[in-house]
Amino acid sequence: MAQPLVKKDDDRDEEADYSPFLGIEKGAVLQEARVFNDPQLDPRRCSQVITKLLYLLNQGESFTKVEATEVFFAVTKLFQSKDIGLRRMVYVMIKELSPSADEVIIVTSSLMKDMTSKTDMYRANAIRVLCRITDGTLLTQIERYLKQAIVDKNPVVASAALVSGIHLLQTNPEIVKRWSNEVQEAVQSRAALVQFHALALLHQIRQNDRLAVNKLVSSLTRGSARSPLAQCLLIRYTSQVIRESANNIQTGDRPFYDFLEGCLRHKAEMVIFEAARAITELNGVTSRELTPAITVLQLFLSSSKPVLRFAAVRTLNKVAMTHPTAVTNCNIDMESLISDQNRSIATLAITTLLKTGNESSVDRLMKQITNFMSDIADEFKIVVVEAIRSLCLKFPLKHRSLMNFLSNILREEGGFEYKKAIVDSIVILIRDIPEAKETGLLHLCEFIEDCEFTYLSTQILHFLGIEGPKTSDPSKYIRYIYNRVHLENATVRAGAVSTLAKFGAMVDALKPRIFVLLRRCLFDTDDEVRDRATLYLNTLGGDGAVVETGADVKEFLFGSLDIPLVNLENSLKNYEPSEKPFDINYVPKEVKTQPLAEKKAPGKKPAGLGAPPPGPPSTVDAYEKLLSSIPEFANFGKLFKSSAPVELTEAETEYAVNVVKHIFDGHVVFQYNCTNTIPEQLLENVTVIVDASEAEEFAEVASKPLRSLPYDSPGQTFVAFEKPEGVPAVGKFSNMLRFIVKEVDPSTGEAEEDGVEDEYQLEDLEVITADYILKVGVSNFRNAWESMGADFERVDEYGLGPRDSLAEAVNAVIDLLGMHPCEGTEVVPPNSRSHTCLLSGVYIGNVKVLVRLQFGLDGPKDVAMKLAVRSEDENVSDAIHEIVASG
Amino acid sequence: MELCPSIKNILLLDSEGKRVAVKYYSDDWPTNSAKEAFERAVFTKTQKTNARTEAEITMFDNYIVVYKFVQDLHFFVTGGEDENEIILSTVLQGFFDAVGLLLRGNEDKNEALENLDLILLCLDEVVDGGVILETDANVIAGKVDSHNMDAGAPLSEQTITQALATAREHLTRSLLQ
């Protein structure tokens, strides 16, 4: 496999390190470049110097501006030589130097001469160089020659012009677009590559004209005998046309499918593969359409060429995600790939098999994988572990062998990421498959006996503390946990102490033994460990008496912190030491939605042990501070939620106003953020007159005008309403901005004494039920759902009517409810016919609400939805249904 | 969406992962150190594989890399993760075979460095700014070598000055060693 290492060592002394560029040095080569200026040019020597210069550039050396300019000017002298070889090197050198605009002028005439030369090689290369370094103005001068070159009978010249056209289209589209007649002619060329380049350019010229692309594709798909590369292009253009005309595919055959299928019988492998891949990627592909593509890919699987095997197995792997049954025919070929020399191919084969395998084949598959795992890299192993986890969730009955497999590989060598992936998988299996719990926990216990990663040890200890006491025999875990107190670093010891305390709190029978162990921890060398032991001994009543653990103690030990850590951190930072103790209840609970880009980050795995990702700092604190500083609103209590700003004016109007709705238990405050965009005006005494006639339950109680609003410095005015306590009152408000306007002298900036009262109509504002729901996530929806119980469950079905897509319907409902999507369920996989979305939130009055939405496509476009709500209050469950019914 | 097949880079490294000649066509690696890091990663990932009879392939960091080795020369062609693997390997094969033709079957690092001008011209003829120019090895080598016949001509046909220059060069080279 690897080349003989011994031989290399032998050679080393004599010649292995010999290189014509040995000891090369930039300064010396730049000196050498002076030969370019010799009146009697020596082409051979000049070529060598250029090669050396190019070698330096290629090795990552860079020339200063001055050096580059000098070399460039010297090189331009070489156009005097008639030597063809030297001229080629000059072309390459000029491209590498990428001269500036004023330098380009020096070579333009030489290159233009070459462009009209009789020598094909000169023409082709001069075109490529000139187009690379030129700018728009020069381009118009040479346009005529370029158009000629496109239809030149020499294919190299034509290709050079066409490829240059492809590059120039990015910078000078209006010029290149004028060449379409010539390009069109070149598409008919007999030369394979010319055809390819012409097709690529023609499509790029027309890409924004859907009709023209359609015409291009339909005329070309009828022809034949094209170069393989051009044929690949055509396949790509065809699938694009198919995608864009996706609206009318419900009836019968897909347009152009026959063309794609025909390409599967092409003689070039790259075309066959391109067509097969295009078919598998068709939107809503049927199994009848898939079959011929799968068949050719299956043939590739047993090819002698690794590239073909890789391409086929990678495509089949993707197909297996959406159409596992279509791929099962390839399973036998796939299994033989597990032993493929190329580990990328082997890994792809394994993960495909894990996706397509049925329950009966699991055991055999696991045996094969075990042999395979030892000789692949960690990154591949992680892929396999993840595939096994999803397989186990699919076939819970097989948990025994799959769990065994995971625990075996957990014991083997591996890096942190790999170990974490395994532990995460085991944790998820324990959570979701009750029968797997006890064995899984024991595997984890054995793992922490010899675990080098503090993070994993503490995470597992925490998990043990929650799950361990609920098992049939909690006592058997104590030994593993207490061993940690002896053998580990302080962080793990502290974690072990907390876990012991949890066992003590939950299992009365174990209490005396736990107390003994905790008391021993009082002599630990680490402060934190001692503090924790002392704290737990006191809370659990460690004076020896075995008493029932109180509910608040349990809450203290097990209750989850239902506050985002970022918010807590911010509040603690803002807290100023005073008589008033810090109150955790005043920490905002709202989770700020993260930007979409972040959510789409590659690691979109179900959350295992890891903590939820930290959100960006919230603006809730800022609002809360602002509002509590206004005496009129100080007695409204705790701020429940602040909405995102809603614009009340069009963009670019005289006055820009948006509003933020602040919801309190018995009040609503509208914060109008106003900006004056007229430099010649100063606004004073700015208020918003709110007409609440369409919001019956609201009564205005206070308003705070804005004293002065100068040009371009935003200010706020507030209006407060009273509403029935704890009731999600809704209504519509019309707004009028009222102010005194004073003229400002733009030269001095002084405002006139007298002002005129004026009004400005704003758009209406609505308070909706979603304003009363906080986006609060839960870490494990399934657990939360079950522990909430079905007491106040309300289920109903709704028809959402025709929608553009399932994803659009899902997003609409999420927006309507204003709740937090859990476990990444807001993302709808393409082509799916149904989808389940999980939401969580807190309703006003601090009532937790969980929602399970099941969407299905009913007919071609109609979306039907089943809505199940669980909450701590039946009125709230009903209210959620009401939102959906009226939305 | 990028519809035209595109090449991100072509690398020719030696058996220790050092550059013989490389050409980047994409801005994915803006600095020389980014390029070197990529080359190191590619080299370590592939060095233990046997890519001597058939081109091999791997995927990492969302790139597809096809590669083939001969003697102490390692050839690589990189494309985006959605690229047709077989197109990439056609480009690799074209470049690989063209270099073989140009070095007249003596494909090793020394020969490649001795004829670096041919290798650089060869790179220039395979891909232009990421767009595939030519994949047929005979055509590529033909384009590079068409003018170069006199370079391989016997010494007797060189002019006296050229012969002297050559001799001087050989002398300096042996002195430098």
Side-chain angles (χ1 to χ4, degrees), chain A residues 535-585:
Chain A
L535 171 71
Y536 291 132
L537 277 171
N538 282 323
T539 43
L540 295 175
D543 43 7
V546 176
V547 288
E548 179 107 349
T549 315
D552 49 340
V553 174
K554 277 191 186 159
E555 177 63 29
F556 171 69
L557 276 171
F558 293 97
S560 67
L561 190 63
D562 55 352
I563 301 166
L565 284 178
V566 203
N567 296 7
L568 179 60
E569 189 187 338
N570 274 339
S571 302
L572 280 170
K573 273 189 193 147
N574 294 339
Y575 173 72
E576 284 157 17
S578 66
E579 291 293 296
K580 222 174 97 193
F582 180 79
D583 188 346
I584 200 163
N585 292 322

Side-chain angles (χ1 to χ4, degrees), chain A residues 48 58 96 128 197 342, chain B residues 23 56 124 128 132 169:
Chain A
Q48 279 165 353
N58 218 291
E96 284 297 321
R128 282 172 61 198
H197 295 134
N342 184 319
Chain B
K23 187 80 190 152
E56 276 289 345
D124 189 53
D128 182 298
I132 300 164
E169 226 175 275

Side-chain angles (χ1 to χ4, degrees), chain A residues 461-475:
Chain A
L461 282 169
H462 174 78
F463 186 68
L464 269 178
I466 296 170
E467 297 292 339
K470 295 185 217 154
T471 55
S472 57
D473 181 12
S475 64

Side-chain angles (χ1 to χ4, degrees), chain A residues 796-821:
Chain A
D796 207 345
E797 288 180 16
Y798 299 88
L800 301 182
R803 295 281 175 164
D804 281 349
S805 68
L806 212 49
E808 192 254 354
V810 172
N811 284 331
V813 177
I814 294 176
D815 285 345
L816 179 67
L817 291 176
M819 293 174 71
H820 187 76

Side-chain angles (χ1 to χ4, degrees), chain A residues 434-448:
Chain A
E435 304 81 46
K437 188 191 246 174
E438 306 233 343
T439 42
L441 285 177
L442 276 176
H443 289 316
L444 291 178
C445 283
E446 272 162 34
F447 174 60
I448 53 172

Side-chain angles (χ1 to χ4, degrees), chain A residues 66-86:
Chain A
V66 179
E67 287 165 349
T69 311
E70 250 170 47
V71 171
F72 176 76
F73 277 109
V75 167
T76 57
K77 301 269 173 35
L78 299 178
F79 274 102
Q80 288 168 16
S81 166
K82 295 268 179 293
D83 186 278
I84 300 185
L86 177 58

Side-chain angles (χ1 to χ4, degrees), chain A residues 1 3 8 12 15 18-21 48 51 54-55 58-60 84-85 88-89 92 95-96 128 132 156 163 167 193 196-197 203 229 233 236-237 240 269-270 273-274 277 305-308 310-311 314 342 344 379, chain B residues 1 3-5 15-16 19-23 32 45 48 52 54-59 64 81-87 89-90 110 113-114 116-117 120-121 124-125 128-129 131-134 143 147 166 169 173 177:
Chain A
M1 258 179 76
Q3 55 168 321
K8 203 173 73 187
R12 173 156 295 176
E15 52 173 341
Y18 166 73
S19 144
F21 301 102
Q48 279 165 353
T51 310
L54 288 171
Y55 173 81
N58 218 291
Q59 294 296 320
I84 300 185
R88 289 297 310 274
M89 296 308 283
V92 176
K95 277 196 274 188
E96 284 297 321
R128 282 172 61 198
R132 171 70 56 85
V156 182
V163 172
H167 297 315
L193 269 298
F196 163 60
H197 295 134
H203 180 263
L229 278 171
L233 273 187
R236 291 186 189 184
Y237 301 156
Q240 190 190 30
E269 280 157 348
M270 74 166 77
F273 174 66
E274 187 73 46
R277 191 172 69 159
K305 297 182 187 164
V307 173
L308 286 192
F310 177 90
R314 187 158 81 109
N342 184 319
S344 304
E379 48 179 309
Chain B
M1 189 179 127
L3 286 174
C4 191
S15 56
E16 287 159 34
R19 277 183 195 168
V20 175
V22 298
K23 187 80 190 152
N32 188 50
K45 230 179 144 41
K48 291 211 190 80
R52 289 172 189 274
E54 289 287 355
E56 276 289 345
I57 182 164
T58 186
M59 188 175 172
I64 296 198
E81 64 172 333
D82 290 328
E83 200 45 82
N84 180 328
E85 294 89 340
I86 301 164
I87 293 182
S89 89
T90 310
N110 288 337
L113 284 173
E114 290 279 3
L116 189 66
D117 50 345
L120 292 172
L121 289 176
D124 189 53
E125 292 292 354
D128 182 298
V131 181
I132 300 164
L133 266 186
E134 179 57 76
K143 283 205 267 181
H147 55 278
T166 325
E169 226 175 275
R173 231 180 244 166
Q177 260 189 317

Side-chain angles (χ1 to χ4, degrees), chain A residues 115 735-736:
Chain A
M115 231 169 97
N735 307 290
M736 177 80 81

